[in-house]
Amino acid sequence: MGQPTPARSADWWRSGVIYQVYVRSFADGDGDGTGDLAGVRSKLPYLAALGVDALWFTPWYLSPMKDGGYDVADYRAVDPAFGTLAEAEKLIAEARELGIRTIVDIVPNHVSDQHPWFRAALAGGPERELFHFRPGRGPHGELPPNDWRSEFGGPAWTRLPDGDWYLHLFAPEQPDLNWAHPAVRQEHEDILRFWFERGVAGVRIDSAALLVKDPALPDFTEGVDPHPYVDRDELHDVYRSWRAVADEYGGIFVGEVWLPDTERFARYLRPDELHTAFNFSFMTCPWDADRLRAAIDTTLAEHAPVGAPATWVLCNHDVTRTVTRYGRADTGFDFATKTFGVPSDPVLGTRRARAAALLSLALPGAVYVYQGEELGLPEADIPLDRIEDPMHARSGGVDPGRDGCRVPLPWAADEPYAGFGCRAEPWLPQPAGWGAYAADLQAADPGSMLALYRAAIRLRSVFGDGPLTWLPAAGGVLAFDRGGAAVVVNLSGESVSLPSYRRVLLSSVPLDSEGRLPSDAAVWLRRE
């Protein structure tokens, strides 16, 4: 047998299916309770069978793990908990042999407080200029330099014994870099080259709109432009330089860009900047036909002027899992605190998540699938004494944190810890009954969530590169055609008749006895 064909063409990223791997919770190869690169390598056949085009890895770099690896101490080293640089290189190569590309995660806004630069800065070295150190306000400098708030809650400043304060838009262990300094820019371009030279196909950019700060570091005033640290114009020069680096290697970028202004969002996707950016308006929509259609239309419209493909995401490592989000009869989910007015119904949530999977995989553009979504995993309740996410502590316990979507995956129903691979309890506890979601059970069940994802990924090429054309539909129903294939998603609350297409390709649930699509369900149809 010859070598498998690499994933699609050079433009694979325009319509690919990218699978997000949170290494710590994916699979444990050495039995110590923490997922690692050896575990990922052992599951590459599973990922190939799923049919994905690329893997996006959350940070696997050397880190004190104060924020799940997003506090990076060394970008050129793999954290020993995950393996070695040689193992990372082997993983990249082995995945590529199976036709699967690799995307790594870069965190340019900040580093770990254990990074050599910051440690040298604390010792009074010239590296102090690579961060934002300022004297405090008040008679004795006892107040922070400005009123900025951390994304994790509390002030965005921490005071040092010498009296100065340093800026951190996230945890205190994550000091922000000074992107006005040329050494910061040069270092990141060198890091990009380091990983491109090791065979990665792309880079996901964390908090991509936050890097550059107003040098005056003024107080924040709501509604006043430009914002002192979000979406500043100077950012685009940074990403043009990065694009030149990526083009040397045929690499691509996907940015984490949270912006309500669609025109400013699209600026990041101009032909000489980022290739793609995550689409959060679709992910944060409730299960409502009108709002989902509006999110789809808005997304396609904002990408059209710059010729960039849309991306579709139902869940990631920062968001409550889809089954739990959609498991309510109303739309009262609070994304800020990840809470519900009433308990989530896992049966309803699973039904809707199946339909949502067919919807997202049929839309024009690229699709990102977070690990475990293909198994229909719900959000897990983590005991308070086991929560590790700093968002929980920094919010005073108001925010439950993100650990509920990061629980180690179930691979084998009858093995200890659902086959995660460890000899002792994993780093986060698995809920009772977790083995019922195990991949080995679902692989043998043609009606499982895993079977649905495998079939949908295999069949989605039927849509080709066709544009989306909305079809007439009853209230509460989404229906569109792409290239002679149709998609119908029924959110109306009652069964609906289907358009006159010749055959059913795939449905999230069986059609009823009269050939109608039940509520909270989706179907793919073929004209010929």
Side-chain angles (χ1 to χ4, degrees):
M1 180 180 294
Q3 180 174 318
T5 303
R8 301 187 185 178
S9 66
D11 288 338
W12 64 272
W13 51 274
R14 301 189 71 88
S15 58
V17 177
I18 300 95
Y19 186 94
Q20 181 188 354
V21 178
Y22 191 80
V23 179
R24 200 176 182 189
S25 297
F26 187 72
D28 184 1
D30 61 11
D32 66 355
T34 296
D36 47 40
L37 300 187
V40 178
R41 288 174 58 209
S42 73
K43 303 299 183 185
L44 285 176
Y46 167 88
L47 295 165
L50 185 58
V52 300
D53 296 305
L55 305 177
W56 157 36
F57 290 89
T58 53
W60 57 29
Y61 314 109
L62 184 66
S63 168
M65 297 293 167
K66 297 298 184 181
D67 181 27
Y70 281 88
D71 49 321
V72 179
D74 185 349
Y75 265 116
R76 296 173 179 84
V78 171
D79 195 275
F82 299 145
T84 65
L85 178 59
E87 283 186 285
E89 293 171 337
K90 188 175 292 187
L91 171 56
I92 293 166
E94 290 176 352
R96 185 57 182 262
E97 289 174 0
L98 293 172
I100 303 173
R101 289 174 165 86
T102 297
I103 297 173
V104 294
D105 211 317
I106 295 294
V107 191
N109 179 70
H110 50 262
V111 294
S112 165
D113 61 358
Q114 299 304 304
H115 190 283
W117 278 3
F118 193 69
R119 296 174 71 177
L122 293 183
E127 290 83 359
R128 210 171 178 89
E129 297 179 3
L130 306 178
F131 301 90
H132 298 278
F133 286 91
R134 294 291 188 278
R137 298 190 291 192
H140 306 289
E142 72 278 9
L143 300 177
N146 63 31
D147 63 359
W148 296 0
R149 305 292 291 175
S150 163
E151 296 289 319
F152 288 168
W157 295 88
T158 290
R159 196 178 193 187
L160 296 168
D162 66 7
D164 270 359
W165 299 72
Y166 70 89
L167 176 68
H168 52 84
L169 290 182
F170 293 86
E173 297 85 0
Q174 296 168 294
D176 280 32
L177 290 165
N178 174 17
W179 274 86
H181 198 292
V184 173
R185 292 187 56 166
Q186 184 62 55
E187 169 67 0
H188 281 78
E189 290 179 17
D190 291 346
I191 290 168
L192 293 175
R193 288 191 171 89
F194 179 89
W195 286 105
F196 281 134
E197 288 172 1
R198 276 151 185 80
V200 305
V203 174
R204 180 261 189 184
I205 307 168
D206 181 72
S207 301
L210 302 185
L211 280 57
V212 177
K213 280 74 176 177
D214 184 330
L217 300 179
D219 283 342
F220 174 71
T221 303
E222 188 72 40
V224 173
D225 290 324
H227 194 288
Y229 60 83
V230 176
D231 182 36
R232 294 187 61 82
D233 288 342
E234 302 94 318
L235 266 174
H236 297 285
D237 184 49
V238 172
Y239 292 135
R240 288 188 188 97
S241 297
W242 283 28
R243 180 60 177 261
V245 174
D247 287 348
E248 293 176 26
Y249 299 91
I252 65 102
F253 292 122
V254 55
E256 183 192 27
V257 183
W258 292 80
L259 290 178
D261 187 320
T262 59
E263 290 187 9
R264 292 195 67 85
F265 172 85
R267 295 177 68 199
Y268 290 84
L269 302 176
R270 289 176 290 195
D272 61 344
E273 294 192 42
L274 307 183
H275 298 75
T276 61
F278 285 134
N279 165 26
F280 294 112
S281 63
F282 179 77
M283 180 181 70
T284 55
C285 264
W287 190 243
D288 177 89
D290 291 339
R291 292 178 66 176
L292 282 168
R293 176 166 175 167
I296 293 167
D297 283 340
T298 299
T299 297
L300 295 176
E302 69 188 8
H303 286 74
V306 288
T311 63
W312 309 100
V313 187
L314 290 175
C315 184
N316 63 32
H317 65 293
D318 289 333
V319 177
T320 300
R321 284 199 178 272
T322 310
V323 165
T324 300
R325 288 206 322 272
Y326 285 160
R328 300 194 70 227
D330 58 25
T331 58
F333 181 72
D334 185 340
F335 279 91
T337 61
K338 304 178 181 67
T339 56
F340 298 93
V342 297
S344 178
D345 177 352
V347 175
L348 177 64
T350 298
R351 186 181 179 93
R352 289 175 171 177
R354 290 174 65 89
L358 293 195
L359 171 60
S360 63
L361 286 163
L363 293 169
V367 179
Y368 282 75
V369 178
Y370 177 50
Q371 66 179 42
E373 287 291 289
E374 81 281 10
L375 301 177
L377 297 183
E379 188 82 355
D381 291 325
I382 307 297
L384 293 179
D385 63 345
R386 296 292 301 277
I387 293 176
E388 297 203 10
D389 186 0
M391 290 186 74
H392 177 69
R394 295 277 294 178
S395 69
V398 174
D399 192 317
R402 300 160 293 179
D403 289 344
C405 66
R406 300 174 178 183
V407 173
L409 296 191
W411 290 101
D414 296 330
E415 294 183 11
Y417 305 110
F420 180 59
C422 50
R423 295 179 293 270
E425 187 176 13
W427 73 281
L428 280 178
Q430 296 170 320
W434 204 235
Y437 297 98
D440 65 342
L441 290 182
Q442 296 203 35
D445 178 5
S448 68
M449 185 74 84
L450 177 58
L452 181 73
Y453 265 89
R454 284 179 172 176
I457 293 172
R458 183 178 70 252
L459 291 170
R460 73 189 296 262
S461 61
V462 71
F463 299 106
D465 296 324
L468 183 151
T469 302
W470 291 106
L471 300 173
V477 177
L478 299 175
F480 59 86
D481 182 285
R482 287 189 62 212
V487 179
V488 181
V489 186
N490 181 12
L491 302 83
S492 71
E494 57 187 34
S495 295
V496 296
S497 298
L498 296 175
S500 56
Y501 282 65
R502 187 174 297 276
R503 61 191 175 100
V504 173
L505 291 175
L506 186 63
S507 61
S508 62
V509 301
L511 303 183
D512 68 16
S513 59
E514 298 180 16
R516 297 181 302 178
L517 182 65
S519 180
D520 294 317
V523 64
W524 290 0
L525 305 167
R526 183 67 176 168
R527 181 176 297 160
E528 299 175 354

